Amino acid sequence: MPTIVDRNLSSVSGEVQTNVNASPKKRMLRSDSAKQSSPMKLKSPRRFMVDSPNSPATRVKTELAEKLTIKTPVKKLLDSFQDKPIWNPTDVNQLSAVKEALHVSTEQPTVVCREDEQKKILEFCKQCVKQEKSGSLYVCGLPGTGKSLSMDKIKGSLIDWTQEEGLQQPDVLALNCTSLTNTADIFTKILTSCQPQKKIRGQTSPLKQLQNSYSQKQQSPGMKMMLIIADELDYLITKDRSVLHDLFLLTTNPSSRCILIGIANAIDLADRFLPKLQSLNCKPMVITFRAYSKDQIIKIIQQRLRVLPYIVFQPQALEFCARKVASASGDMRKALGICRSAIEILEADITETKCDMNFSAIDNGFADQPTATACEIPKMQENNVVRIDHMAVALSKAYRSPVVETIQSLPQHQQIILCSAVKLFRRGKKDTTIGELNKSYMDVCKSTQIPPIGIMELSSMCRVLSDQGILKLGQSREEKLRRVALKIDEADITFALQGVRYFRNCLQ
């Protein structure tokens, strides 16, 4: 009997067969998806817009990358040297020009990295001249930070400004206090500059004559404003502090026409040596010149080398010098001296190389010596620049001394004593007592979690350091009251101890 095929059943069975065959195929696709090539998927409109070069996200990334690739002073220095030829250190004229450009006394058109400080001082002087009012200012900072150089530029800028404004030019008296035979001679200098036609009377002191002149209720019609720039002001510090105090008091008299600007290294000189001025509301305005950073040192050297039409230093060598000087003292004069020393080391290196080549030529015969090829000439020119190895030797000569080696070989507590002394003397002190040194020593030990020693043992260690020529000890009946002073440069101590982390952090 023929069977009747149900169409619905066949379709159902077909579906069952299809589903049965589909499950292994799905498992195969899941397991072998990595082996089989899948068709390329189209990106969604949102993702496509983000990845396009003109999308906002891409533009932000590009701008951020440009900001992150801002050129450092070293890269700027490298770029400025790319178009210049390498110098010839055997040329006497080039050598003289380079040494002159790096000399401390070479005058620069502008004092870079000190624009803010100069602006504040100049505005102070302008206000005093415009209002015909006296005033005092104290400029402080570590040695070699551009204080005296900035004052020379400010002095000229003030005179130019008075000419432009049609004001009466002030008389300028610039002196270095170390040149005075006696500290009180500064009043004689001021009196002769202020009143050159009048003779100094022997009965009345110059200070008294100045006080009488400035204490009048009405000002003399012909009296001009006077700018007094006293460099190395801490030289005027005496036991009774009378000279320094009387000098600043001259600006407080009703008819005074003095603008006094004192320059020294001590940051807190006005607070410690002029306490009466603060009680009289006559404390001078203080402007601090901070130590130069690595980037600032590179920028100043770059300014000096820009006038030269050739390359003298390898950029990495200048960066090496700037980093070392900035970490030790930030003294720009020191950095310039090291650069000049590195040039002299390069000279000696070239001379020695030439002597060796001459001796080898004599031994082998002149005829056998080949001439330099076109490929060897650039290499010979590259050897004419000051490299890192030359700068390392110059830095070693500048900072590496027998004193530095002695400090590095001292026991730990003696090194802490020297570190404590440097911290004390940075405040402007020239000497201290063992009692005060002990307090500073205890603070350093506490910050570094090192068990301190007693004051008697500290005193005996100071005697050991005195025998080695590092400290100077005075005499006193009480051990705590014995005076202590450094007999070596603070920069030597800083350079010797900067290799140890907690000393480096303590001295910063």
Side-chain angles (χ1 to χ4, degrees):
M1 184 178 181
T3 57
I4 301 172
V5 179
D6 192 352
R7 295 180 180 178
N8 296 331
L9 183 61
S10 62
S11 62
V12 170
S13 62
E15 289 179 3
V16 171
Q17 290 176 0
T18 306
N19 292 335
V20 170
N21 296 332
S23 57
K25 187 175 182 180
K26 285 184 180 180
R27 283 196 298 269
M28 181 184 67
L29 288 173
R30 285 172 188 163
S31 59
D32 300 336
S33 60
K35 297 179 182 179
Q36 294 183 0
S37 60
S38 59
M40 183 178 65
K41 296 181 180 180
L42 294 175
K43 295 182 179 179
S44 65
R46 183 178 178 183
R47 290 187 62 186
F48 181 78
M49 183 179 67
V50 170
D51 292 341
S52 65
N54 296 324
S55 65
T58 307
R59 285 199 299 268
V60 169
K61 289 180 182 179
T62 306
E63 292 175 0
L64 182 61
E66 291 177 355
K67 290 181 180 179
L68 292 176
T69 55
I70 295 174
K71 293 181 180 179
T72 62
V74 181
K75 291 182 179 179
K76 290 180 181 178
L77 183 66
L78 182 59
D79 292 343
S80 64
F81 286 168
Q82 284 179 352
D83 298 333
K84 294 182 178 181
I86 296 175
W87 77 314
N88 182 13
T90 58
D91 189 335
V92 178
N93 294 328
Q94 291 188 18
L95 187 62
S96 176
V98 171
K99 288 187 176 181
E100 184 179 357
L102 295 173
H103 201 275
V104 178
S105 62
T106 302
E107 187 176 355
Q108 298 298 311
T110 57
V111 182
V112 295
C113 305
R114 288 291 178 248
E115 292 82 3
D116 294 339
E117 293 85 353
Q118 293 179 49
K119 184 178 179 181
K120 291 178 183 178
I121 299 171
L122 185 59
E123 286 297 324
F124 169 80
C125 295
K126 286 180 179 179
Q127 291 297 324
C128 292
V129 172
K130 188 181 294 184
Q131 301 174 8
E132 295 186 353
K133 182 181 177 182
S134 62
S136 59
L137 183 71
Y138 177 60
V139 178
C140 58
L142 295 174
T145 52
K147 302 185 297 295
S148 303
L149 189 60
S150 296
M151 288 310 306
D152 291 338
K153 297 297 180 183
I154 291 168
K155 183 173 58 176
S157 300
L158 181 64
I159 294 173
D160 294 339
W161 173 79
T162 54
Q163 291 177 350
E164 293 173 0
E165 296 292 326
L167 300 174
Q168 190 179 29
Q169 291 185 15
D171 293 329
V172 179
L173 173 63
L175 54 91
N176 193 309
C177 296
T178 57
S179 63
L180 300 173
T181 307
N182 188 9
T183 54
D185 290 344
I186 189 172
F187 301 114
T188 307
K189 296 274 188 183
I190 296 172
L191 185 61
T192 54
S193 179
C194 182
Q195 302 173 355
Q197 298 177 354
K198 292 186 178 181
K199 295 183 179 180
I200 300 174
R201 292 168 290 181
Q203 297 177 355
T204 309
S205 65
L207 173 61
K208 192 66 177 176
Q209 293 184 45
L210 285 170
Q211 289 173 344
N212 294 335
S213 176
Y214 292 149
S215 60
Q216 298 175 2
K217 293 184 180 180
Q218 292 184 353
Q219 298 176 356
S220 301
M223 186 178 291
K224 297 170 63 176
M225 293 293 294
M226 185 174 186
L227 175 62
I228 304 171
I229 303 173
D231 203 354
E232 304 293 345
L233 189 70
D234 47 359
Y235 181 76
L236 301 180
I237 298 174
T238 54
K239 289 185 178 180
D240 56 357
R241 304 167 188 173
S242 59
V243 175
L244 195 63
H245 190 264
D246 292 335
L247 179 63
F248 277 92
L249 276 181
L250 287 177
T251 62
T252 63
N253 292 323
S255 298
S256 176
R257 309 295 295 273
C258 289
I259 307 171
L260 175 62
I261 299 180
I263 307 172
N265 299 332
I267 296 175
D268 56 349
L269 182 141
D271 294 330
R272 292 188 297 110
F273 296 107
L274 301 171
K276 293 182 181 179
L277 294 181
Q278 190 169 2
S279 62
L280 295 172
N281 294 326
C282 302
K283 182 181 176 182
M285 177 182 172
V286 179
I287 293 181
T288 305
F289 280 61
R290 301 193 177 277
Y292 285 115
S293 65
K294 181 200 74 173
D295 292 341
Q296 288 175 332
I297 292 174
I298 292 175
K299 188 175 181 180
I300 294 171
I301 297 176
Q302 178 184 4
Q303 183 204 26
R304 288 175 172 263
L305 296 176
R306 191 179 292 120
V307 298
L308 302 175
Y310 33 74
I311 302 174
V312 181
F313 291 88
Q314 196 179 44
Q316 293 82 357
L318 286 181
E319 184 187 11
F320 181 47
C321 172
R323 184 184 292 112
K324 288 294 183 181
V325 174
S327 63
S329 59
D331 189 340
M332 193 62 222
R333 292 176 296 188
K334 194 86 170 178
L336 292 174
I338 291 170
C339 289
R340 286 168 59 90
S341 178
I343 291 173
E344 294 174 358
I345 293 167
L346 173 64
E347 286 184 79
D349 191 11
I350 291 174
T351 304
E352 185 179 355
T353 304
K354 283 187 176 181
C355 292
D356 293 341
M357 291 175 64
N358 291 336
F359 283 126
S360 62
I362 293 172
D363 293 339
N364 298 329
F366 292 101
D368 298 335
Q369 294 298 317
T371 58
T373 61
C375 298
E376 292 175 350
I377 290 175
K379 293 181 180 180
M380 293 173 64
Q381 291 180 344
E382 288 178 4
N383 293 331
N384 291 339
V385 297
V386 178
R387 302 186 304 272
I388 290 182
D389 54 333
H390 300 133
M391 194 64 73
V393 176
L395 284 165
S396 178
K397 286 184 177 181
Y399 291 108
R400 192 75 180 181
S401 64
V403 175
V404 173
E405 295 179 357
T406 302
I407 294 170
Q408 291 178 340
S409 63
L410 290 174
Q412 186 182 52
H413 283 282
Q414 293 184 20
Q415 292 177 342
I416 296 175
I417 291 171
L418 294 179
C419 178
S420 308
V422 169
K423 291 190 68 176
L424 274 176
F425 297 146
R426 276 182 177 174
R427 302 170 188 170
K429 290 185 176 182
K430 295 183 179 179
D431 61 355
T432 185
T433 61
I434 287 184
E436 292 180 357
L437 181 61
N438 183 59
K439 290 180 183 178
S440 179
Y441 164 80
M442 296 288 287
D443 293 339
V444 174
C445 289
K446 186 177 180 180
S447 63
T448 55
Q449 298 181 352
I450 295 176
I453 57 175
I455 189 169
M456 297 305 296
E457 192 173 354
L458 182 139
S459 179
S460 64
M461 286 187 177
C462 288
R463 284 195 294 270
V464 173
L465 293 173
S466 177
D467 295 337
Q468 293 180 335
I470 299 175
L471 293 180
K472 180 182 179 181
L473 281 179
Q475 298 294 330
S476 179
R477 293 182 180 179
E478 294 187 30
E479 198 69 23
K480 291 183 179 180
L481 301 179
R482 294 184 68 179
R483 308 298 297 181
V484 184
L486 282 175
K487 293 181 69 176
I488 60 174
D489 193 358
E490 294 179 13
D492 290 335
I493 299 175
T494 305
F495 184 78
L497 299 180
Q498 68 177 354
V500 183
R501 180 180 298 175
Y502 63 83
F503 281 139
R504 184 170 61 252
N505 296 336
C506 182
L507 292 171
Q508 284 179 351

